[in-house]
Amino acid sequence: MISSAIRGRPKRRRLPSLALALLTAFAPGGPLMAGEPTHGLAAHGAPALPPDFDHLPYADPQAKKGGRLRVGLAGTFDSLNPFNLKSGSTAQGLVGNIFQGMMARSQDEPFTLYPLIAQSLDIDAARAHVTFHLDPRAHFSDGKPITSEDVLFSFNLLKSKGRPQQRVAYGLVKSITAPDAQTVSYDLTGVGDRELPLILAIMPVLPKHATDLERFSDATLAKPLGSGPYIVADAQAGARLLLKRDPNYWGADVPSQRGFYNFDEIDIQYFRDGNALFEAFKAGLIDYREETSTTRWSTGYDFPALREGRVATEALKNENPKGLEGFVFNTRQTIFKDIRLREALGMMFDFEWINANLYSNLYTRTKSFFDESELSSSGRPANEKERALLAPYPDAVRADILDGKWRPPVNDGSGRDREMAKRALELLAAAGYHVNGDRLAKDGAPVSFEIMVKDRNQERLALNYAASLARIGVEARVRLVDEVQYQRRRQKFDFDMMIGQYLASASPGNEQRMRWGSASATQESSFNLAGAASPAIDCLIAALLSAQSHDDFIAAVRAYDRLLLSGFYVVPLFHASEQWIAHSTDLARPQRLPRYAAPLFGPTLESWWRKNP
């Protein structure tokens, strides 16, 4: 057990204690005494599991080992380097299976970490100093031990050459030191970001002795070296990635890993065409798929393998916030500077007709950036804490959104709702827009823009929306571009409107800086698609990052949600309240699913196993 390992480890020289008298919130059994390490770290409150936990609640330590898992993914890849945006299209399945961090995340809690490469940590109440103690058993798949030198190397490399969100987060660290081979200390004084220690704890640890610094940013099919449970056995660009279990994986008996990584081989096959992928599943060439097509889910699963009991379907739920997907206005463009225009254009999206005619009424209209969760502001009037946070910005949130009464407009479902068009034109007229002939214009300039899409599904949705906009004199041209051009234009913000996806977790944090923070509005390759640059948004991001209690955090996120909704940066689309999956009946999973993650956690079904390996 972890607790006995801590008590029994040999004493070693290290830095003096860094204010180790933790708040009770970080110690399930009571406040930690100075100099006593803790086994886990939660974003807010205490880790749910005690120091001597045996396995995560949604893992089965008795799961069978062996066999091959065959999964299919849509798309392609040309690189095995997941750490830089310039590295091309990276194969999925590397992070977690090949590369691992110092601590492992529990999908049963909003954001809580438990030991992996680091067997314990010391942290002060202010989270200004954190020290990780590495497990002396930890080693890379080539047998080389993982030391503090590898952690320092990884930090400095990713800080300078990693993804933008890594560079931003790691750039906040005041200093990092390694007093010995098993100890790494971070100085975070003055940062005021209580999530940062968790971000550092999940940083992938790369092998200093086997990383090519000169070519770190390049696309490469060279087999990577990590410390995870698998190694890359074969990689065929755009077609296949084969992972094989490392028989010498050092962490197999670490409690956070027990019951996971049960297959001897994971065969990830890539398909450029979604129909070909589905046909491969029907033919028994693929063991598992997540269904995203409402038409296919409602009518496509009547085939021999299912009727004969070789395939099963399930509709599963979890407690993850549903996030928001929608048509994003690029407010860097002059045409979209006026918030009243953005709101009026949003009125013309006819969800009711689209859901009935295109999606078999299986979708729910999204009304919050954290929908179907306690983080959502929808349907909840702002409490005193929220109002206090928003008080310095009295005009930033609309009254109906502050009161929790706002919803996306509801059309009559006819596809030609005259009342909704009338409301949109009245709002536009108040903003100085008028219809001349059959075109909407302001000061003689017609309202005309392009919607960039990347596939036929997006194109169909955008064409429907463009037709609705034409009813009020707006010209919206839909342009389908290839993947390479799409990514290049997105990264350079070279678009008027596009469909953006804002995935949500139960513990939003640093990633919000790259989505909505003012600094990211001009940072190429950031995810601030809308170009939002608001002091109020910046202030609320800081508030959710510095929140010390669960109640303070909830208040900060709900207030933040209200700000984003009030900006009308996005025309909300819709979401499925359930996750639709289909799989071979020879696959099994724990009955207990995690609260905050999809049942597979990633593309390789970490907790599943084969009944007859």
Side-chain angles (χ1 to χ4, degrees):
M1 300 299 179
I2 290 298
S3 56
S4 61
I6 291 173
R7 289 193 297 269
R9 71 183 179 197
K11 294 186 177 181
R12 57 184 182 265
R13 294 174 59 85
R14 58 185 176 88
L15 290 178
S17 171
L18 297 172
L20 300 180
L22 301 187
L23 292 176
T24 303
F26 299 108
L32 294 174
M33 302 303 292
E36 184 181 352
T38 181
H39 72 294
L41 183 63
H44 304 96
L49 302 178
D52 61 349
F53 77 97
D54 181 72
H55 61 277
L56 294 176
Y58 50 90
D60 185 352
Q62 305 304 316
K64 291 184 179 180
K65 302 286 185 181
R68 171 182 285 193
L69 170 70
R70 302 166 303 168
V71 294
L73 297 175
T76 185
F77 74 93
D78 60 7
S79 177
L80 300 180
N81 175 7
F83 300 117
N84 196 284
L85 286 174
K86 297 179 181 179
S87 61
S89 299
T90 304
Q92 296 188 51
L94 299 174
V95 177
N97 293 309
I98 306 295
F99 301 103
Q100 293 191 317
M102 287 191 289
M103 302 188 77
R105 185 168 186 170
S106 169
Q107 303 292 349
D108 213 42
E109 302 172 57
F111 195 179
T112 297
L113 305 178
Y114 293 101
L116 185 51
I117 293 173
Q119 65 181 4
S120 65
L121 73 152
D122 304 333
I123 188 167
D124 65 334
R127 300 197 177 187
H129 299 88
V130 59
T131 296
F132 296 99
H133 305 291
L134 308 189
D135 192 321
R137 300 171 297 173
H139 62 76
F140 294 105
S141 59
D142 65 355
K144 295 283 187 181
I146 300 175
T147 70
S148 56
E149 190 174 359
D150 295 299
V151 178
L152 265 66
F153 168 79
S154 303
F155 173 82
N156 290 321
L157 179 59
L158 295 172
K159 178 182 175 182
S160 61
K161 295 185 177 182
R163 292 179 173 271
Q165 57 267 40
Q166 291 173 320
R167 298 198 297 268
V168 170
Y170 302 164
L172 298 173
V173 176
K174 186 174 181 180
S175 67
I176 176 175
T177 57
D180 60 49
Q182 263 76 50
T183 307
V184 179
S185 294
Y186 291 92
D187 183 350
L188 311 179
T189 54
V191 174
D193 182 344
R194 297 182 62 81
E195 186 191 48
L196 186 56
L198 289 89
I199 299 298
L200 297 171
I202 60 175
M203 178 190 75
V205 180
L206 310 179
K208 182 178 180 181
H209 67 280
T211 301
D212 188 341
L213 284 174
E214 295 299 322
R215 299 181 179 177
F216 182 72
S217 301
D218 298 343
T220 177
L221 290 174
K223 295 177 181 178
L225 176 68
S227 62
Y230 291 93
I231 59 175
V232 175
D234 185 36
Q236 302 170 23
R240 184 191 191 210
L241 177 68
L242 179 64
L243 305 179
K244 286 192 175 183
R245 183 199 304 282
D246 178 2
N248 298 313
Y249 174 50
W250 75 272
D253 201 41
V254 172
S256 66
Q257 305 294 283
R258 285 196 189 118
F260 295 150
Y261 311 115
N262 300 311
F263 302 102
D264 283 344
E265 294 184 340
I266 300 173
D267 190 356
I268 305 174
Q269 301 174 41
Y270 279 77
F271 295 79
R272 292 180 181 270
D273 180 76
N275 289 327
L277 173 55
F278 184 56
E279 291 301 318
F281 176 75
K282 288 169 60 178
L285 302 177
I286 302 296
D287 294 315
Y288 176 95
R289 70 178 273 109
E290 181 178 352
E291 187 55 74
T292 57
S293 166
T294 55
T295 300
R296 193 177 286 133
W297 184 249
S298 58
T299 64
Y301 281 83
D302 183 16
F303 51 87
L306 190 137
R307 292 194 297 268
E308 296 166 9
R310 290 180 281 116
V311 166
T313 59
E314 297 183 80
L316 304 173
K317 286 192 173 186
N318 59 53
E319 298 180 35
N320 265 338
K322 296 305 179 284
L324 185 145
E325 185 175 16
F327 288 102
V328 183
F329 298 101
N330 185 355
T331 63
R332 302 172 187 85
Q333 309 288 29
T334 302
I335 189 175
F336 292 137
K337 296 292 186 185
D338 193 325
I339 192 172
R340 294 167 294 182
L341 173 68
R342 302 199 299 267
E343 181 181 2
L345 297 185
M347 291 179 178
M348 297 304 296
F349 180 74
D350 193 342
F351 165 73
E352 286 68 31
W353 186 93
I354 289 172
N355 195 33
N357 290 274
L358 302 184
Y359 302 121
S360 305
N361 279 323
L362 289 176
Y363 284 133
T364 299
R365 186 75 190 270
T366 307
K367 55 190 179 299
S368 163
F369 283 84
F370 308 96
D371 215 353
E372 297 189 27
S373 77
E374 65 176 352
L375 302 177
S376 172
S377 65
S378 181
R380 299 181 171 106
N383 61 23
E384 292 183 4
K385 288 186 176 182
E386 291 180 66
R387 293 176 185 272
L389 288 169
L390 294 168
Y393 310 98
D395 300 322
V397 175
R398 286 194 358 178
D400 56 344
I401 295 177
L402 192 66
D403 292 337
K405 297 178 180 179
W406 180 85
R407 298 288 189 281
V410 177
N411 283 260
D412 64 10
S414 67
R416 298 189 62 83
D417 189 332
R418 294 186 178 184
E419 182 60 31
M420 190 60 67
K422 178 182 177 183
R423 286 175 53 192
L425 288 170
E426 288 174 350
L427 178 59
L428 289 165
Y433 293 86
H434 302 282
V435 177
N436 294 322
D438 60 352
R439 299 296 299 276
L440 183 73
K442 183 177 182 179
D443 300 329
V447 178
S448 175
F449 58 89
E450 178 185 276
I451 306 175
M452 181 178 71
V453 297
K454 64 178 181 179
D455 57 42
R456 295 299 179 186
N457 289 329
Q458 287 193 357
E459 183 182 42
R460 179 175 67 164
L461 194 61
L463 287 171
N464 184 279
Y465 184 35
S468 293
L469 292 173
R471 295 176 50 231
I472 59 171
V474 173
E475 180 190 36
R477 304 175 305 279
V478 179
R479 184 176 180 186
L480 175 64
V481 299
D482 61 54
E483 179 70 18
V484 173
Q485 184 181 174
Y486 179 87
Q487 292 299 334
R488 183 170 61 248
R489 290 183 60 183
R490 185 202 69 76
Q491 291 172 7
K492 293 182 178 295
F493 310 123
D494 180 20
F495 63 90
D496 297 330
M497 174 181 278
M498 63 176 286
I499 293 178
Q501 187 177 41
Y502 301 90
L503 299 177
S505 77
S507 183
N510 272 283
E511 77 283 355
Q512 302 302 319
R513 287 191 174 116
M514 293 299 293
R515 295 180 182 182
W516 298 102
S518 294
S520 65
T522 56
Q523 184 175 348
E524 188 173 311
S525 297
S526 82
F527 295 99
N528 191 341
L529 303 178
S534 161
I537 290 177
D538 294 339
C539 179
L540 266 296
I541 293 175
L544 66 89
L545 288 172
S546 61
Q548 297 193 31
S549 71
H550 182 70
D551 287 347
D552 288 345
F553 178 71
I554 296 298
V557 177
R558 288 181 184 172
Y560 177 59
D561 188 33
R562 297 181 202 278
L563 278 174
L564 298 182
L565 293 172
S566 295
F568 291 94
Y569 298 107
V570 184
V571 179
L573 294 181
F574 38 77
H575 64 271
S577 295
E578 299 174 321
Q579 184 186 30
W580 306 319
I581 66 171
H583 58 85
S584 163
T585 51
D586 192 42
L587 293 184
R589 61 168 173 82
Q591 184 174 3
R592 166 79 153 79
L593 292 175
R595 293 177 61 194
Y596 294 109
L600 63 164
F601 323 143
T604 54
L605 294 93
E606 287 88 335
S607 66
W608 292 51
W609 63 90
R610 190 168 285 284
K611 296 176 183 177
N612 300 293

